[in-house]
Amino acid sequence: QVQLRESGGGSVQAGGSMRLSCVASGPYVSIGWFRQAPAREREAAAVVTKNGNLEYGHFVEGRFTISKDSVRNTVDLQMNALRPEDTAMYYCGAAEWDYRLNFRGYKYWGQGTQVTVTP
């Protein structure tokens, strides 16, 4: 059983930065950050794959950086140059297989943290 606890989030003006952190416990293969805006499908922002590769969603465009600390069991998402369209609930997700950016394969989810970017 994997447990995930997110922190960070809040409100920021467009162009600003925000850092999200996830503490993970339990065995997993891949882990990452995902987001879901109202009336939209969940999508991957960034993941750390089984081999330690970092993969990013198409919308990131070099603005986000994911990092994993295996000693502290944390996965952080540094978000820069935020845009109003980045407004969403952000979730930490973990999977038992290497599903990479495919959110449908992720079985474990945190409760989410709201990120709001104002114009």
Side-chain angles (χ1 to χ4, degrees):
Q1 185 76 12
V2 178
Q3 293 185 330
L4 306 168
R5 186 174 74 252
E6 302 110 334
S7 62
S11 182
V12 65
Q13 284 189 324
S17 299
M18 186 176 291
R19 189 176 186 88
L20 306 180
S21 185
C22 172
V23 179
S25 62
Y28 57 84
V29 172
S30 55
I31 190 167
W33 282 94
F34 302 77
R35 71 182 191 182
Q36 188 166 17
R40 297 194 63 177
E41 190 174 63
R42 189 167 297 191
E43 58 184 349
V47 301
V48 181
T49 71
K50 176 182 179 181
N51 294 328
N53 295 326
L54 310 180
E55 297 188 352
Y56 295 91
H58 63 91
F59 60 86
V60 170
E61 300 177 338
R63 300 177 298 130
F64 297 178
T65 302
I66 190 169
S67 59
K68 179 182 174 184
D69 186 327
S70 297
V71 175
R72 296 170 57 226
N73 292 321
T74 59
V75 179
D76 291 353
L77 183 67
Q78 176 66 41
M79 304 185 291
N80 300 325
L82 284 163
R83 307 165 179 165
E85 53 265 39
D86 293 319
T87 295
M89 186 72 79
Y90 282 71
Y91 297 91
C92 182
E96 297 172 325
W97 297 94
D98 199 6
Y99 285 106
R100 301 172 64 179
L101 292 172
N102 184 358
F103 75 91
R104 294 178 179 85
Y106 285 71
K107 179 180 178 180
Y108 303 102
W109 298 98
Q111 62 184 21
T113 185
Q114 177 68 37
V115 172
T116 301
V117 184
T118 58

